[in-house]
Amino acid sequence: MTDAAELRRRTRELLAAHPPATTDRLDFLRARFDAGLAWVHYPEGLGGLGAPRALQAVVDAELAAADAPDNDPRRIGIGLGMAAPTILQYGTEEQQRRLLRPLWTGEEVWCQLFSEPGAGSDLAALGTRAVRDGEDWVVNGQKVWTSSAHLARWAILIARTDPDVPKHRGITYFVCDMTDPGVEVRPLRQITGEAEFNEVFLTGVRIPDSRRLGGIGDGWRVAQTTLNNERVAIGGTPIPREGGMIGKIAATWRERPDLRTHDLHQRLLGLWVEAEVARLTGVRLRQQLAAGQPGPEGAGMKLNFARLNQEISGLEVELLGEEGLLYDDWTMRRPELVDFTGRDAGYRYLRSKGNSIEGGTSEVLLNIVAERVLGLPAEPRTDKDVAWKDLAR
Ligand SMILES: Cc1cc2nc3c(=O)[nH]c(=O)nc-3n(C[C@H](O)[C@H](O)[C@H](O)COP(=O)(O)OP(=O)(O)OC[C@H]3O[C@@H](n4cnc5c(N)ncnc54)[C@H](O)[C@@H]3O)c2cc1C
């Protein structure tokens, strides 16, 4: 049994064999993965030791104290938060061994080819086709809002393999090599001026069957693992007390007494308390997570995260008055990482608008909470038994 003392011992051994001050960053990260100290709850040989997930904190604290490099998790959020748990649950041993190590070290960035121009909230309606041809699948279609596609080596992709069955049943899940011929990535500029995401055109892309994740036609079930993890990854990231968006406005409040009014103070205090409650709820959610896969509770967390980010960044702009209306830079950038709380108040205000859309819109998450957490009656669904090819589009 790997307990805290054993993990501490192994971490010190790693640090002694690869002193961070004199070891190349990537070499250190690879050694950490090989020592099973990357994500301790993963199996041995895949970056973990099969230890309880909660014990990761023991390793992280030892490494932080030794000033060891990390894998820059914000840069590789889709890989860590969404692709990895799906590969772990549905991947073959060969897929896991090939893909997980460079995913974790950040050598290979991942993106998510799910949404399409005609399929976002109603993701199961997607129309990108994958047709079997010998040992390969030939994929044609268009994806949209693909964050980090311009940086990615790999994508998790869902495509329609059987148009003759109802929409949820004819989908298959693949790993797509973004460097393959037929993959075209074009920037999409968003409200912040940045182009964090892209539209991706797939034209005759050949994906070997060995890169299928899960069974043929079972892609919707596989995608649920990704989507449940996505909500936790977006809304449930651990933050310190007064971290995240609330920390930004609190700092402005402290630094700028000239801006303060009684009314703004009352509103800030209210949001501060709500942010702290949300943070503590996140701690509880992660404790539940340690005992299994995330369930629909992640939807509630993500819902609240989006609302709070928008209210807090809105209050910050209001607090700054005319200054809050200034915007530092409209140049189209291609950011290396998504940082909801980065740059200035104007950026935070505009970027937070996307929080209630990405990873499932707030309306759709409310439906999930209503149906799967509160057990309320489901929305009427008239297309459940209709073949995808016969659906109105
Ligand atoms: C910043 C950002 C990054 C993203 N990154 C990615 C990515 O990397 N990969 C990827 O695949 N996708 C990504 N997305 C796409 C995102 O998942 C979709 O935008 C989202 O699921 C909504 O789909 P849609 O845009 O097609 O809107 P629609 O589904 O067309 O929704 C339009 C409106 O109708 C409402 N609505 C729809 N259905 C219902 C319903 N049943 N009940 C009540 N209201 C409903 C919605 O809430 C919304 O207000 C990203 C989006 C953003 C904003």
Side-chain angles (χ1 to χ4, degrees):
M1 174 67 188
T2 316
D3 59 11
E6 170 67 6
L7 284 176
R8 216 167 274 125
R9 188 189 66 71
R10 286 183 188 238
T11 311
R12 287 180 187 163
E13 226 171 70
L14 169 77
L15 289 164
H18 308 272
T22 52
T23 308
D24 171 72
R25 177 177 175 272
L26 202 50
D27 288 343
F28 183 85
L29 293 174
R30 288 176 179 158
R32 179 176 162 187
F33 187 93
D34 295 338
L37 299 168
W39 32 33
V40 296
H41 60 293
Y42 272 50
E44 278 192 53
L46 296 175
L49 294 165
R53 191 179 182 139
L55 291 182
Q56 185 67 45
V58 174
V59 175
D60 292 349
E62 288 284 324
L63 293 175
D67 220 7
D70 69 12
N71 59 350
D72 202 354
R74 289 186 310 167
R75 206 181 128 255
I76 51 172
I78 293 175
L80 289 176
M82 293 149 68
T86 314
I87 294 167
L88 183 67
Q89 194 171 342
Y90 290 99
T92 60
E93 201 187 322
E94 198 185 331
Q95 289 168 337
Q96 292 170 345
R97 290 200 180 277
R98 163 63 188 86
L99 298 170
L100 288 175
R101 190 178 189 247
L103 178 159
W104 187 86
T105 59
E107 287 163 84
E108 292 179 343
V109 173
W110 285 69
C111 69
Q112 178 196 21
L113 291 172
F114 279 24
S115 304
E116 297 183 2
S121 301
D122 188 12
L123 185 58
L126 61 88
T128 291
R129 287 281 277 126
V131 176
R132 188 76 186 244
D133 181 25
E135 276 311 292
D136 292 343
W137 294 85
V138 180
V139 180
N140 284 287
Q142 185 197 340
K143 296 289 178 175
V144 75
W145 320 128
T146 319
S147 308
S148 305
H150 51 294
L151 306 167
R153 165 66 206 273
W154 297 106
I156 41 177
L157 163 75
I158 46 178
R160 183 149 315 274
T161 44
D162 186 353
D164 295 322
V165 294
K167 60 182 181 178
H168 292 94
R169 282 201 252 135
I171 295 171
T172 303
Y173 199 120
F174 299 97
V175 170
C176 174
D177 185 340
M178 294 295 285
T179 64
D180 269 349
V183 179
E184 190 194 342
V185 176
R186 296 188 198 159
L188 279 179
R189 200 168 181 208
Q190 61 211 72
I191 194 173
T192 56
E194 296 183 327
E196 216 178 79
F197 48 36
N198 305 270
E199 46 186 355
V200 177
F201 295 84
L202 304 163
T203 313
V205 180
R206 297 192 80 87
I207 301 184
D209 188 53
S210 58
R211 283 209 226 109
R212 172 166 47 81
L213 273 188
I216 297 172
D218 205 22
W220 187 250
R221 195 160 64 98
V222 183
Q224 292 315 304
T225 297
T226 310
L227 296 174
N228 283 334
N229 279 287
E230 176 174 22
R231 281 156 207 152
V232 177
I234 295 180
T237 314
I239 46 168
R241 187 170 177 152
E242 212 179 273
M245 204 66 101
I246 198 71
K248 298 290 175 182
I249 188 172
T252 308
W253 181 266
R254 292 197 180 99
E255 285 157 18
R256 298 287 306 273
D258 54 307
L259 301 171
R260 297 177 191 168
T261 68
H262 176 71
D263 170 57
L264 288 172
H265 191 217
Q266 294 305 105
R267 286 162 62 197
L268 176 59
L269 286 178
L271 287 171
W272 196 98
V273 171
E274 283 195 64
E276 181 59 7
V277 171
R279 187 183 75 82
L280 294 172
T281 309
V283 173
R284 202 175 57 197
L285 180 72
R286 279 186 297 281
Q287 283 168 355
Q288 283 169 3
L289 241 169
Q293 285 293 321
E297 296 85 358
M301 193 73 215
K302 199 282 176 165
L303 192 57
N304 202 34
F305 161 85
R307 181 184 62 80
L308 274 175
N309 269 2
Q310 290 174 356
E311 284 189 23
I312 296 168
S313 61
L315 186 67
E316 192 182 3
V317 167
E318 205 180 324
L319 170 68
L320 286 166
E322 286 177 7
E323 278 175 58
L325 299 177
L326 298 174
Y327 198 68
D328 64 344
D329 186 1
W330 287 107
T331 329
M332 190 183 98
R333 309 184 198 191
R334 296 288 262 164
E336 277 256 315
L337 52 87
V338 178
D339 186 1
F340 299 144
T341 57
R343 287 173 60 179
D344 60 6
Y347 171 83
R348 290 193 277 277
Y349 177 72
L350 292 179
R351 182 61 186 80
S352 70
K353 299 295 171 204
N355 290 158
S356 52
I357 307 173
E358 57 202 312
T361 68
S362 290
E363 291 77 13
V364 166
L365 296 181
L366 278 172
N367 282 345
I368 293 175
V369 171
E371 291 176 24
R372 294 198 232 143
V373 181
L374 303 177
L376 296 175
E379 276 201 318
R381 292 187 179 99
T382 51
D383 55 3
K384 259 172 53 186
D385 301 313
V386 183
W388 175 82
K389 65 176 178 9
D390 298 327
L391 292 176
R393 264 185 284 283

